[in-house]
Amino acid sequence: GQNIDQPTEMTATEGAIVQINCTYQTSGFNGLFWYQQHAGEAPTFLSYNVLDGLEEKGRFSSFLSRSKGYSYLLLKELQMKDSASYLCAAMDSNYQLIWGAGTKLIIKP
Amino acid sequence: GAVVSQHPSWVICKSGTSVKIECRSLDFQATTMFWYRQFPKQSLMLMATSNEGSKATYEQGVEKDKFLINHASLTLSTLTVTSAHPEDSSFYICSARDPGDGSPLHFGNGTRLTVT
């Protein structure tokens, strides 16, 4: 079956770096998305990877290894506003999005 | 855990016809549901916020007369694409928030619409 796994919760310190991992199993693959979502709000798009490697976008970077079915989101210079849930979603061959349950990131001062 | 069921998973229709997509919260009551649209390899775009018992709130640029949203009960919201055209072909996904558990939005698996 199709599945996405990511940690339920992580805690990090303001100013530090945190890496949120995601592993996926899908029928075919058309890319992997990361979204940020604050409580009670719609998710906001962070990144999309379809080729292997690291994509850097400001303080956020996303990595993909298709052979390993693995991705991570790297957040640098953490700020309190980064406290949110981070959703990993893989798109299968039918362009269906398979969503992870989200990783709740708690930033401590 | 909370589950959001979206139906159908995929649909092919002819240009000019209307298509209805259902979004159901299976084990919780959702006063608010969200409808998104996503083109291949692009980000999820919020179309509208569906509120139970009241009119939906549409995002800028989304035609409310074309994308009819009905949220008649606490467990069901529907999106009807009226007079569909090929450019409406896209991936539509709904999500719902369970106010009882404080968790992030729960998403449906989406509906792939192809208009021929």
Side-chain angles (χ1 to χ4, degrees), chain B residues 1-62:
Chain B
V3 175
V4 172
S5 174
Q6 188 172 340
H7 178 81
S9 298
W10 59 271
V11 58
I12 301 173
C13 70
K14 293 185 178 181
S15 186
T17 61
S18 295
V19 174
K20 179 184 284 187
I21 302 170
E22 293 187 349
C23 181
R24 294 181 184 274
S25 56
L26 297 185
D27 57 1
F28 66 99
Q29 294 183 327
T31 56
T32 303
M33 291 185 174
F34 300 89
W35 287 97
Y36 304 90
R37 180 175 182 176
Q38 187 174 36
F39 293 103
K41 301 180 182 181
Q42 295 186 27
S43 63
L44 217 60
M45 301 293 294
L46 180 65
M47 298 177 65
T49 301
S50 171
N51 303 297
E52 188 270 335
S54 64
K55 293 183 179 180
T57 303
Y58 290 82
E59 296 298 301
Q60 189 174 9
V62 178

Side-chain angles (χ1 to χ4, degrees), chain B residues 5-11 18-24 33 35-37 47 67-70 76-82 88 90-94 108-114:
Chain B
S5 174
Q6 188 172 340
H7 178 81
S9 298
W10 59 271
V11 58
S18 295
V19 174
K20 179 184 284 187
I21 302 170
E22 293 187 349
C23 181
R24 294 181 184 274
M33 291 185 174
W35 287 97
Y36 304 90
R37 180 175 182 176
M47 298 177 65
F67 298 100
L68 300 179
I69 291 174
N70 184 286
L76 174 65
S77 176
T78 61
L79 168 67
T80 302
V81 182
T82 63
D88 297 324
S90 187
F91 182 77
Y92 295 85
I93 186 168
C94 73
N109 286 333
T111 299
R112 186 74 185 168
L113 171 63
T114 301

Side-chain angles (χ1 to χ4, degrees), chain A residues 30 33 35 37-43 45-46 48 50 85 87 91 94-104, chain B residues 8-10 34 36 38-44 46 91 93 95 97 102-112:
Chain A
N30 275 305
F33 296 82
Y35 289 85
Q37 186 176 33
H38 289 97
E41 299 178 9
F45 171 75
L46 290 178
Y48 169 73
V50 67
S85 286
L87 303 168
M91 185 168 278
N94 293 320
Y95 294 100
Q96 292 272 346
L97 271 176
I98 313 302
W99 293 87
T103 298
K104 183 178 181 180
Chain B
S9 298
W10 59 271
F34 300 89
Y36 304 90
Q38 187 174 36
F39 293 103
K41 301 180 182 181
Q42 295 186 27
S43 63
L44 217 60
L46 180 65
F91 182 77
I93 186 168
S95 65
R97 176 174 173 267
S103 65
L105 292 176
H106 304 284
F107 292 86
N109 286 333
T111 299
R112 186 74 185 168

Side-chain angles (χ1 to χ4, degrees), chain A residues 7-87:
Chain A
T8 303
E9 186 174 297
M10 298 181 72
T11 302
T13 305
E14 189 176 16
I17 299 173
V18 70
Q19 177 175 312
I20 303 174
N21 296 324
C22 171
T23 57
Y24 64 89
Q25 290 180 306
T26 56
S27 300
F29 181 70
N30 275 305
L32 188 126
F33 296 82
W34 282 97
Y35 289 85
Q36 179 192 61
Q37 186 176 33
H38 289 97
E41 299 178 9
T44 56
F45 171 75
L46 290 178
S47 68
Y48 169 73
N49 294 67
V50 67
L51 299 176
D52 289 349
L54 185 69
E55 297 273 347
E56 296 184 85
K57 191 184 298 183
R59 293 190 299 114
F60 293 3
S61 301
S62 57
F63 172 83
L64 176 68
S65 169
R66 288 172 298 172
S67 62
K68 295 181 180 179
Y70 167 70
S71 173
Y72 68 72
L73 180 70
L74 190 71
L75 293 77
K76 302 176 183 177
E77 302 171 12
L78 286 170
Q79 301 174 9
M80 297 303 293
K81 67 178 183 180
D82 297 329
S83 292
S85 286
Y86 291 85
L87 303 168

